Amino acid sequence: MEPGPETAPREGTGQAPGSGQPGPVRVLLADDQPLLRMGFRLILEGEDDVEVVGEASDGADAVRLARRLEPDVVLMDVRMPVMDGIEATRQIAAGPQGPRIIILTTFDLDEYAFAGLQAGASAFLLKDVAPAELVSAVRLVASGDAVVAPRVTQRLLETYVRGLPAAPEAGSRPVQRDPLLDGLTPREQEVLEAIAEGLSNAEIAHRFFLSEATVKTHVRRILAKLHLRDRVQAVVYAYETGLVVPSQGLDY
């Protein structure tokens, strides 16, 4: 395990943008390549509202530091020694009030990408991401208001969804409806279906003649009622539970 710079855990100040609390977005870097960690650190620490609080060179170290330093966002490589990024993501996401996790991939259809998403990652970025896109992604994931890297995330979801049956075959057992869906209002269910189509808050507001603030409120309530971390998890949930089927959305 390579030692990396660390700072103390947050004490109510290192909150995500839009949370109403002061303090920069606290980021933990997890990658076994020191040069990549250095590059990400230089980019992120060039911003006034972002702070790199630690570095991990393997998955086990990432889990330990995430629990100790309580970052807002973790940039997580997939292929690392000791413990890979998928298992590290699963362990970090399983904790209460865990940080948002961005999986770093080499290819936009990485074979481990969906495993990371199902383990609790909020989004994916390519390792050759442009500096401005990296900073934007960290801010957006920390705020919880948007899905970052739409091109990558949408292609991944499209590939995943196309692998599901479009409709139950004759005589087959239909997908069982999740009882949690009964807790949604009709409008919240409509908003969830729109999220699963990949619509932004602005597009959802336009479709249903709502303000963006109202849409954000609906999204927050949906995530809370369904015990989901973010919009990416909501999209996967909508397809896995049969609320929507592949033919209804993600036609990019």
Side-chain angles (χ1 to χ4, degrees):
M1 180 179 68
E2 298 178 16
E6 302 177 13
T7 62
R10 64 171 181 257
E11 297 181 357
T13 57
Q15 302 295 323
S19 66
Q21 298 293 330
V25 178
R26 297 165 55 85
V27 180
L28 171 64
L29 306 177
D31 196 298
D32 63 341
Q33 299 183 52
L35 285 177
L36 275 178
R37 296 200 308 269
M38 180 185 297
F40 288 141
R41 175 181 281 275
L42 289 174
I43 292 169
L44 294 173
E45 290 195 333
E47 305 296 321
D48 293 336
D49 61 340
V50 180
E51 176 187 6
V52 176
V53 297
E55 298 181 14
S57 58
D58 60 64
D61 198 20
V63 173
R64 180 184 67 83
L65 289 178
R67 291 171 178 168
R68 177 170 175 267
L69 299 176
E70 300 180 354
D72 299 306
V73 177
V74 178
L75 287 181
M76 181 77 74
D77 187 23
V78 173
R79 299 171 180 84
M80 292 186 291
V82 184
M83 178 189 295
D84 64 36
I86 303 303
E87 179 58 29
T89 294
R90 184 175 294 107
Q91 292 191 24
I92 293 172
Q97 303 297 319
R100 308 285 181 175
I101 300 172
I102 301 176
I103 292 287
L104 297 171
T105 64
T106 303
F107 307 103
D108 60 359
L109 291 179
D110 189 286
E111 61 181 306
Y112 296 109
F114 283 113
L117 185 140
Q118 291 177 320
S122 296
F124 301 89
L125 285 178
L126 299 180
K127 283 194 171 183
D128 62 355
V129 61
E133 187 179 352
L134 173 66
V135 174
S136 176
V138 167
R139 288 172 176 152
L140 287 170
V141 165
S143 73
D145 286 339
V147 176
V148 301
R151 177 179 61 85
V152 175
T153 304
Q154 290 172 358
R155 285 188 63 192
L156 286 166
L157 289 173
E158 180 183 38
T159 301
Y160 174 76
V161 169
R162 293 282 171 82
L164 296 176
E169 298 179 1
S172 65
R173 185 176 181 180
V175 176
Q176 185 175 1
R177 178 181 173 86
D178 186 346
L180 290 177
L181 287 171
D182 295 332
L184 300 183
T185 66
R187 176 63 80 194
E188 287 168 350
Q189 182 162 317
E190 290 176 336
V191 170
L192 175 57
E193 292 172 356
I195 292 172
E197 292 179 37
L199 299 187
S200 66
N201 285 349
E203 291 167 332
I204 294 172
H206 179 74
R207 172 179 290 187
F208 298 120
F209 303 101
L210 303 170
S211 69
E212 286 194 50
T214 298
V215 172
K216 288 183 178 181
T217 298
H218 283 313
V219 172
R220 284 195 298 270
R221 289 175 178 171
I222 290 167
L223 297 180
K225 289 180 178 181
L226 299 180
H227 309 302
L228 301 172
R229 293 172 61 85
D230 49 49
R231 295 171 72 104
V232 173
Q233 295 293 306
V235 173
V236 174
Y237 172 89
Y239 284 96
E240 288 187 331
T241 58
L243 180 64
V244 294
V245 295
S247 60
Q248 287 181 265
L250 293 177
D251 294 325
Y252 302 111

